[in-house]
Amino acid sequence: MLLNYQQIKEKAGRIRKYHATLPNKREETIIAQKTKKSSSDKAKKIQWHPAFYAAAELELKENIEELDLISEYHLSKEPVRIDLLIIKEENADKVMKNEIGHIMRKYNVLEYKGPGDELSIDTLYKTLGYACLYKGYGKTTNEIPAEELTVSLFREAYPKELFLELKRKGYTLEEKYPGIYYVGGNILFPVQIVVISRLSRVMHSSLRILSANADIEDIRKFLEQTENMKTPRERNNIDAVLQASVSANYEIYQKVRRANGMCEALRELMKDEIEQDVARGEARGEARGIIDTCYDLGLKEDAILERLQKKLNISLKTAQEYLKTFGKQMI
């Protein structure tokens, strides 16, 4: 994880350096487009969907024992799959506790669009089509009643074009809860569109941190809310959400993990980085001691650099950095 971040950071550094030498606006535009594409490509490579499945479980944890959550549900032998299918068990509560689940009935089709993915009118029709196919593939006639089906679509950003198109077609949109819009009108099944960035921070932190630009307060809220979740299922879901979120927001998580009270899940996830930081701290302490001793002995800088390289098994460049940092303090 750290290696990937450094590679991306170095690559971005090269782009910025090259950008500074460009002679005209056309080339500046090209570089800006490449930089934007690089960020977009990075977000697309992150495995957002498994993290979404985990976040969905965390969101619905109060009713989780009454639900069957089936990811990438195959509608047929062909590669047509529902992102997430949620089936309520027979003895489940009629209304789920989490507000995202209030619209849900026995069979619930969920479509998730990760950061950078489009949510259009075609996406809505495709998902309605999945719901129709799911009903049609029942083992017996009307095994899956239409009145027991719902459709939910999730996306981080506000789908302005989709909402305009729905209104143009005569559908209504009601923001039932912050970020949760019910689609009304002549539509096959109850439909809700969940705009993740507008969800309540307090109630939906597990979804809100599934972002390429996560807010540090959302991260802190998620870590706070999941600190006491200890079951294997909960810990696996927390890890899945964090892996995607950390990959997309590494610098922010570095700030969070250095703060007091870092949670166990984040500490375990970033264990390698923490150990590297500790090792670097120990090396810096040793370097300072060596430099101090060398100055007491009256050694010249070349001799100090040689001793640093030999004692700490470091490069000349690193030794020079240590001498620059600590040497002036000792003079």
Side-chain angles (χ1 to χ4, degrees), residues 5-105:
Y5 166 72
Q6 289 176 335
Q7 289 173 338
I8 291 167
K9 187 175 180 182
E10 289 168 4
K11 183 177 180 183
R14 289 198 295 272
I15 291 173
R16 285 195 294 272
K17 183 177 179 182
Y18 176 55
H19 177 83
T21 64
L22 290 175
N24 58 59
K25 289 186 177 180
R26 180 177 178 275
E27 290 176 326
E28 287 178 358
T29 302
I30 292 171
I31 292 300
Q33 289 173 342
K34 286 182 178 179
T35 304
K36 184 177 180 181
K37 184 176 184 297
S38 175
S39 299
S40 176
D41 289 345
K42 175 189 172 185
K44 288 180 179 178
K45 289 178 182 177
I46 294 170
Q47 298 300 308
W48 293 106
H49 280 74
F52 170 71
Y53 309 149
E57 284 209 13
L58 292 172
E59 288 283 330
L60 304 175
K61 63 184 176 61
E62 293 169 309
N63 296 90
I64 201 67
E65 298 303 324
E66 305 168 349
L67 308 173
D68 290 327
L69 284 79
I70 309 166
S71 63
E72 297 187 344
Y73 181 84
H74 288 257
L75 287 165
S76 66
K77 293 181 180 179
E78 299 300 319
V80 179
R81 294 177 295 184
I82 295 169
D83 277 349
L84 184 62
L85 176 67
I86 297 179
I87 303 174
K88 283 188 180 182
E89 295 184 357
E90 293 298 331
N91 59 347
D93 291 342
K94 188 172 183 180
V95 179
M96 293 190 204
K97 293 181 173 63
N98 188 291
E99 58 193 17
I100 288 174
H102 287 182
I103 199 174
M104 294 184 182
R105 299 180 181 176

Side-chain angles (χ1 to χ4, degrees), residues 189-239:
F189 313 110
V191 173
Q192 67 176 352
I193 298 172
V194 180
V195 182
I196 294 173
S197 62
R198 298 193 175 191
L199 290 172
S200 163
R201 173 175 291 160
V202 174
M203 297 182 65
H204 305 288
S205 61
S206 55
L207 285 171
R208 284 179 59 94
I209 68 169
L210 295 184
S211 168
N213 298 286
D215 186 282
I216 194 166
E217 291 305 316
D218 288 332
I219 293 170
R220 286 173 175 159
K221 179 59 68 175
F222 176 79
L223 296 175
E224 174 189 318
Q225 291 177 337
T226 57
E227 179 70 19
N228 295 320
M229 295 184 188
K230 301 297 184 184
T231 69
R233 183 173 187 169
E234 289 172 337
R235 301 315 299 177
N236 287 337
N237 287 331
I238 293 166
D239 288 347

Side-chain angles (χ1 to χ4, degrees), residues 145-157:
E147 60 271 18
E148 289 295 326
L149 264 167
T150 73
V151 166
S152 300
L153 297 99
F154 292 76
R155 186 194 186 208
E156 179 186 9

Side-chain angles (χ1 to χ4, degrees), residues 203-329:
M203 297 182 65
H204 305 288
S205 61
S206 55
L207 285 171
R208 284 179 59 94
I209 68 169
L210 295 184
S211 168
N213 298 286
D215 186 282
I216 194 166
E217 291 305 316
D218 288 332
I219 293 170
R220 286 173 175 159
K221 179 59 68 175
F222 176 79
L223 296 175
E224 174 189 318
Q225 291 177 337
T226 57
E227 179 70 19
N228 295 320
M229 295 184 188
K230 301 297 184 184
T231 69
R233 183 173 187 169
E234 289 172 337
R235 301 315 299 177
N236 287 337
N237 287 331
I238 293 166
D239 288 347
V241 171
L242 281 175
Q243 282 172 10
S245 188
V246 170
S247 296
N249 304 277
Y250 188 84
E251 290 181 336
I252 298 175
Y253 278 91
Q254 284 283 46
K255 293 178 183 177
V256 173
R257 81 171 182 82
R258 290 193 176 101
N260 292 332
M262 182 177 65
C263 80
E264 179 185 345
L266 188 57
R267 187 180 295 109
E268 183 63 27
L269 190 64
M270 304 184 78
K271 181 180 178 181
D272 291 343
E273 288 88 336
I274 294 170
E275 290 176 351
Q276 289 171 9
D277 278 357
V278 171
R280 280 193 290 269
E282 291 174 350
R284 286 171 64 86
E286 288 184 48
R288 185 166 188 166
I290 292 169
I291 293 169
D292 190 6
T293 301
C294 288
Y295 272 109
D296 288 343
L297 295 173
L299 297 181
K300 294 183 178 180
E301 288 192 352
D302 287 347
I304 297 174
L305 290 172
E306 183 179 350
R307 184 165 295 193
L308 283 169
Q309 292 178 79
K310 184 176 180 180
K311 291 284 187 181
L312 300 179
N313 192 27
I314 57 177
S315 67
L316 174 60
K317 182 180 178 181
T318 303
Q320 289 170 334
E321 290 174 355
Y322 283 146
L323 186 58
K324 182 179 179 181
T325 302
F326 302 121
K328 292 180 181 179
Q329 298 175 10

